[in-house]
Amino acid sequence: MRLKRLRDLDRPQINLTLDSTPVQALTGDTVLTALLAGGAGALSPNIFAQEPRAGFCHMAACQDCWVMVEGLGRVRACATQAADGMVVRRL
Amino acid sequence: MRTIVVGAGPAGVRAVEQLVTAGLRPVWIDEAPDGGGRIYQRPPLGLTRDHRQLYGMEAGRARAVHDTLDALKSRTDWRPNTLVWHIDPHNRTLETLCAGQQATLTYDNAILCTGAMDRVIPLPGWTRPGVTTLGGAQIALKAQGCAIGQHVALVGTGPLLWLLAYQYLKNGARPVAVIDTTSFAHKARHAAALLPGGTVFWKGLWYMAAVRAAGTPVFEGARPVAITGSGDEVKAITFKTASGATRQITCDAVALGWGLKPEAQLADLAGVPFHFDEPQHNWVPEKDATGRTKVPAIYLAGDGAGIAGADAAEMAGARAALALLEDAGRTVPGPLTATLDGALARLSGFRATLERAFPFPADLARAMPDDTLVCRCEAISAGDLRAVGGRPATGAAPELNRAKAFTRLGMGRCQGRVCGPAGAEILATALGRDVAAIGRLRGQPPVKPVPLASATVQEAAE
């Protein structure tokens, strides 16, 4: 899935990595927005269903957007602000 | 007296406002960084915060809630980014987690304003990347300035379906389809009864008219069949139109939701009894019209205590705070309580009518194909659940929590928030019982996952 940015495109760019792949994002993005607008396609797969997932509720309830962030540990991508230099890994 | 308010949405803001006016300095906890609740969630700094653009016709209300919230922060023990994951009503303690720090807080009184989330009916393909809740699609737009895709289909029923269609349209992302499971005729039949809703009713009509006028393909009385795609891409949604024809519409994202359900896990852990509310078709914690519950020192307000909408939440928050103050021996302004009581009673009648105008299509959940996942966390299919419900009387799961023990339905990360309503319909059908007779998934601490390694800080009672 790819989020489509509709406004506020003039924000400063930040750079993250997801599993060592560079992802360009904007200041003010959540990790979820940064990754899904930046072309990640999916976040951590569901281990029981063995299928890709990319979050569902965007409001910190469904727990479907877990990723690992260096220094923060396991987080919900939708409830975590992205930051320049952030190192993110799929679980 | 230590008073804790959980939640900083419309209900929490107005509750705290009354407490502060009475001279209290409550502890005020919210899981989000900046309050406002989901309805009035603000984007992070750096994104547009223009109320008109973000909240449309609700701009005035949103601004008033934000202004009050910001003015109150310094007059309370304000704790944003903080999850309340347990409540012990006997020892009157709350367990909280903020930035990896665990803390136990004692309270004399607590007002729980914990809000709501989307009520979902799983469809084949609903776990694929590109599928979100209606609320999720709205937050992506409101708080992050994004649409969930280039070509978005919206599916479900209820006021949020049409509001979201309107908001996507206004932001240059016209939906490729609005698929409403409620027929036009059904809504029209309830229109006269909704008239007393005043501006809420007229706003709803306006959204629907604007969505149609813009040429958005609208299908009412339709039944979604499946979301198809491959890998991490959605490619189409298939549905049956009101006349029974099968249609497929190409899209790269789908948002779905059938009304809202209370986030009432803390009320549950606090020991507040629940009942099945038929117009809402939801289990709701029991409170009286003032927000008092049968559990001493626990008050409830807002959608977390039964879906009533943001305007009602503001009033219910204020009313619950006044009830708390009254119970604590304070004098409260009589005219204000009378005004709130009258307004809340009127809104409660309107809400029941609104729920009837956009009914939860239980039959859609009941007819879910066997191989569709009901529980997206633990990957439990409708067939898995039917298998335990359909066993002979001995050894069968006669209610939802037994079925949870047998199948792990609702035992995953989301604690049954997402699968609960649809799972209940499937099990009830397998058992040949009414959905209200098979119980509800009980809340368990922690109400959301917390890391085992979180540091503990014991806070002294004031």
Side-chain angles (χ1 to χ4, degrees):
Chain A
M1 91 180 278
R2 186 161 197 142
L3 296 179
K4 181 188 178 188
R5 294 187 188 275
L6 298 172
R7 62 163 190 265
D8 300 322
L9 301 175
D10 53 350
R11 286 173 279 155
Q13 187 184 311
I14 54 174
N15 297 289
L16 296 75
T17 61
L18 173 65
D19 295 332
S20 306
T21 305
V23 176
Q24 290 184 355
L26 300 176
T27 308
D29 282 356
T30 63
V31 173
L32 183 75
T33 302
L35 298 181
L36 295 182
L43 306 177
S44 306
N46 178 283
I47 54 166
F48 299 108
Q50 299 202 330
E51 60 181 22
R53 294 287 174 87
F56 182 56
C57 80
H58 292 225
M59 56 177 87
C62 79
Q63 317 294 326
D64 214 22
C65 65
W66 286 4
V67 290
M68 291 296 292
V69 174
E70 209 168 273
L72 295 177
R74 191 196 71 207
V75 299
R76 293 165 295 187
C78 74
T80 307
Q81 284 302 116
D84 195 40
M86 208 173 231
V87 176
V88 186
R89 278 189 297 275
R90 292 187 178 95
L91 291 167
Chain B
M1 182 170 80
R2 189 187 229 195
T3 300
I4 297 184
V5 177
V6 181
V13 167
R14 295 304 174 196
V16 168
E17 182 180 40
Q18 290 301 327
L19 299 176
V20 168
T21 302
L24 270 57
R25 187 182 171 83
V27 177
W28 194 9
I29 306 173
D30 196 65
E31 199 184 351
D34 203 18
R38 293 306 169 188
I39 183 124
Y40 302 135
Q41 184 169 342
R42 281 184 284 199
L45 289 171
L47 282 80
T48 182
R49 289 186 152 196
D50 178 76
H51 283 86
R52 195 77 222 165
Q53 190 180 345
L54 296 181
Y55 312 105
M57 287 191 252
E58 311 306 324
R61 286 210 172 258
R63 187 181 295 111
V65 167
H66 291 154
D67 289 350
T68 308
L69 165 70
D70 292 338
L72 288 169
K73 284 176 186 169
S74 65
R75 303 175 70 185
T76 66
D77 179 355
W78 168 241
R79 299 181 185 218
N81 295 307
T82 303
L83 167 72
V84 178
W85 60 266
H86 191 27
I87 182 168
D88 175 348
H90 305 294
N91 295 311
R92 298 200 182 178
T93 53
L94 287 180
E95 304 297 335
T96 68
L97 184 71
C98 176
Q101 292 270 308
Q102 157 69 28
T104 303
L105 306 184
T106 58
Y107 65 86
D108 297 303
N109 297 290
I111 307 178
L112 307 178
C113 310
T114 45
M117 72 173 290
D118 296 81
R119 181 170 48 181
V120 171
I121 299 176
L123 306 174
W126 74 296
T127 57
R128 196 180 293 288
V131 184
T132 72
T133 60
L134 293 175
Q138 192 189 40
I139 285 168
L141 177 64
K142 190 163 55 181
Q144 292 282 282
C146 292
I148 58 167
Q150 291 276 347
H151 307 286
V152 180
L154 307 181
V155 187
T157 201
L160 180 57
L161 175 71
W162 291 91
L163 172 61
L164 185 63
Y166 176 78
Q167 289 173 326
Y168 266 55
L169 179 65
K170 289 288 280 186
N171 282 275
R174 191 181 76 176
V176 295
V178 175
I179 300 167
D180 187 343
T181 53
T182 307
S183 70
F184 179 80
H186 182 91
K187 282 174 284 209
R189 274 199 298 278
H190 287 77
L194 286 166
L195 267 171
T199 52
V200 177
F201 173 68
W202 294 110
K203 282 180 203 165
L205 280 191
W206 168 256
Y207 296 140
M208 289 184 177
V211 167
R212 285 174 209 277
T216 315
V218 167
F219 303 90
E220 291 168 291
R223 311 254 308 178
V225 173
I227 298 161
T228 47
S230 64
D232 54 21
E233 282 181 18
V234 165
K235 294 194 169 154
I237 180 154
T238 309
F239 59 98
K240 283 193 186 301
T241 65
S243 62
T246 300
R247 283 284 303 267
Q248 189 171 67
I249 289 186
T250 303
C251 57
D252 65 356
V254 177
L256 43 84
W258 282 264
L260 304 176
K261 60 189 277 285
E263 278 282 282
Q265 294 82 9
L266 290 178
D268 196 5
L269 295 177
V272 176
F274 280 56
H275 72 274
F276 194 79
D277 180 275
E278 193 34 67
Q280 285 186 43
H281 207 76
N282 269 332
W283 286 94
V284 297
E286 289 176 11
K287 63 171 182 63
D288 69 10
T290 69
R292 292 180 174 95
T293 70
K294 287 178 182 155
V295 180
I298 296 292
Y299 302 80
L300 304 177
D303 279 356
I307 307 306
D311 298 357
E314 286 191 51
M315 291 184 236
R319 187 63 189 88
L322 292 169
L324 182 155
L325 290 165
E326 223 170 359
D327 295 346
R330 307 282 183 115
T331 308
V332 301
L336 177 57
T337 55
T339 305
L340 288 171
D341 288 342
L344 281 167
R346 281 193 297 281
L347 280 174
S348 148
F350 174 70
R351 190 71 208 186
T353 312
L354 194 60
E355 298 289 350
R356 289 188 193 99
F358 292 99
F360 179 72
D363 55 327
L364 184 63
R366 289 170 176 242
M368 193 182 307
D370 269 343
D371 57 357
T372 302
L373 293 188
V374 186
C375 170
R376 63 188 287 127
C377 302
E378 298 283 315
I380 312 301
S381 71
D384 295 337
L385 185 55
R386 287 188 182 113
V388 297
R391 280 186 207 163
T394 56
E399 60 88 52
L400 205 52
N401 292 287
R402 187 72 65 83
K404 173 181 175 181
F406 286 171
T407 63
R408 297 189 61 82
L409 178 99
M411 212 181 277
R413 300 168 177 183
C414 91
Q415 296 265 30
R417 281 174 173 80
V418 179
C419 66
E425 298 295 344
I426 291 166
L427 184 69
T429 306
L431 293 168
R433 302 181 69 185
D434 189 82
V435 71
I438 61 153
R440 63 193 172 81
L441 290 171
R442 282 189 296 268
Q444 301 286 347
V447 301
K448 288 184 182 175
V450 296
L452 281 171
S454 54
T456 301
V457 181
Q458 191 80 30
E459 295 208 2
E462 281 179 1

